[in-house]
Amino acid sequence: MSGWLEGYSALITGGGTGIGRAVAERFVAEGAQVSIVGRNLDQLRAVVDASADPGRWHAVAADVRDSEQLHTAVAETVDRFGKLDTLVANAGIWDYKRSLTRLSAAELSATFDELFAINVKGYLLAAEAAWRELVRSRGSIVMTLSNASFYVDGGGPIYTASKHACLGLMRQLAYELAPRVRVNGVACGGMNTDLRGPESLALQSRSLAASFAKRGADAPPPPIPLHDSSTDPADFTAPYALLAAREQSGPITGQALSVDGGIGVRGFGAAAGGDNLLDTVVSRSQDLSI
């Protein structure tokens, strides 16, 4: 029996690692041909070479902050596969939960500009580059959202704001591009992935995967209801395939599927996130007076 995406062509930003790579592999397994986009061409080519069927893949080096490069990625995808059915807007970075009180004004400004340029502007520019081909194919856009698109403490204020912005962007584009193009999102929870941080905070080399590795095999499960899952990016890929397949989700647009391991029903671990702020202010004041 053929897969849900037999005959489909997809372009996935941030497709060289993590959830982007996992989605690309799932799409190929479902019958699709896939272009993966990222800044590191060698990394992308390694993904293609590792595939059992490299002819179904195409690697394109592009920065999602560069509209011209994204247009090139779309054009190469259409040249290679004949059309574009699905855009997966996925490339992003995390702020490693840097709270407002841990950032100077200069760090806050620089990190905001960098993170929003990738996480939000990158999605918008990818949609701008792809929408004409998606109109022709009656295709769809699937955005990688987050539990931070709905709830606090999935990151710091900058990441949380960026993912709330992506949720609004998804809904607005679903309205603007209907009825020809469906636009939806997958709100993922935490996973074991090579997610990096902002260069503006010198966190570009820090990886969530390394943090998971430090926990060790005998580490306690993460504090979410489905603590025996929600760690491998492959566990999150089925909703992407569902939303991309018009035969399976034709009436669905403007929706975000929560795939967060139950984060949305766990309640809150603490009454307030700033319970120690007064002590921090007093301590810093004493340090300055010494």
Side-chain angles (χ1 to χ4, degrees), residues 3-28:
W4 278 0
L5 300 178
E6 193 71 38
Y8 277 62
S9 167
L11 185 153
I12 302 173
T13 66
T17 62
I19 183 64
R21 176 175 179 173
V23 170
E25 291 171 340
R26 178 62 179 262
F27 276 24
V28 170

Side-chain angles (χ1 to χ4, degrees), residues 21-85:
R21 176 175 179 173
V23 170
E25 291 171 340
R26 178 62 179 262
F27 276 24
V28 170
E30 295 285 350
Q33 297 171 304
V34 175
S35 287
I36 52 174
V37 175
R39 287 182 281 179
N40 187 331
L41 185 58
D42 289 339
Q43 184 181 63
L44 297 173
R45 285 174 173 166
V47 173
V48 174
D49 292 342
S51 170
D53 190 358
R56 301 177 74 87
W57 295 73
H58 182 55
V60 187
D63 188 320
V64 295
R65 294 168 289 188
D66 188 313
S67 177
E68 184 177 348
Q69 292 180 12
L70 287 169
H71 275 268
T72 298
V74 170
E76 287 191 17
T77 300
V78 174
D79 288 344
R80 178 70 179 270
F81 302 130
K83 58 175 180 170
L84 177 63
D85 294 289

Side-chain angles (χ1 to χ4, degrees), residues 211-225:
S211 300
F212 269 80
K214 289 179 180 178
R215 293 172 56 219
D218 297 326
I224 58 176

Side-chain angles (χ1 to χ4, degrees), residues 108-123:
L108 188 67
S109 179
T111 303
F112 181 94
D113 290 346
E114 180 184 357
L115 197 145
F116 262 70
I118 295 173
N119 289 18
V120 185
K121 183 180 179 181
Y123 281 21

Side-chain angles (χ1 to χ4, degrees), residues 107-248:
E107 289 173 331
L108 188 67
S109 179
T111 303
F112 181 94
D113 290 346
E114 180 184 357
L115 197 145
F116 262 70
I118 295 173
N119 289 18
V120 185
K121 183 180 179 181
Y123 281 21
L124 187 58
L125 291 180
E128 190 283 324
W131 72 265
R132 298 162 188 82
E133 296 299 333
L134 296 175
V135 165
R136 291 186 179 99
S137 66
R138 294 193 71 92
S140 71
I141 299 172
V142 184
M143 296 183 179
T144 295
L145 302 177
S146 169
N147 54 279
S149 298
F150 299 94
Y151 310 111
V152 301
D153 206 32
I158 300 175
Y159 180 79
T160 301
S162 79
K163 285 303 178 180
H164 273 63
C166 288
L167 176 63
L169 177 62
M170 180 272 290
R171 289 169 171 165
Q172 178 67 22
L173 293 185
Y175 166 72
E176 290 188 10
L177 297 179
R180 297 290 301 186
V181 181
R182 297 179 300 109
V183 186
N184 294 289
V186 180
C188 300
M191 67 185 79
N192 185 354
T193 181
D194 191 33
L195 185 61
R196 302 301 177 101
E199 292 182 15
S200 50
L201 293 178
L203 292 172
Q204 68 272 21
S205 298
R206 185 170 178 178
S207 167
L208 270 182
S211 300
F212 269 80
K214 289 179 180 178
R215 293 172 56 219
D218 297 326
I224 58 176
L226 296 181
H227 53 253
D228 58 343
S229 64
S230 301
T231 54
D232 188 333
D235 293 344
F236 295 80
T237 60
Y240 289 86
L242 170 69
L243 293 173
R246 66 181 65 88
E247 297 83 1
Q248 309 299 327

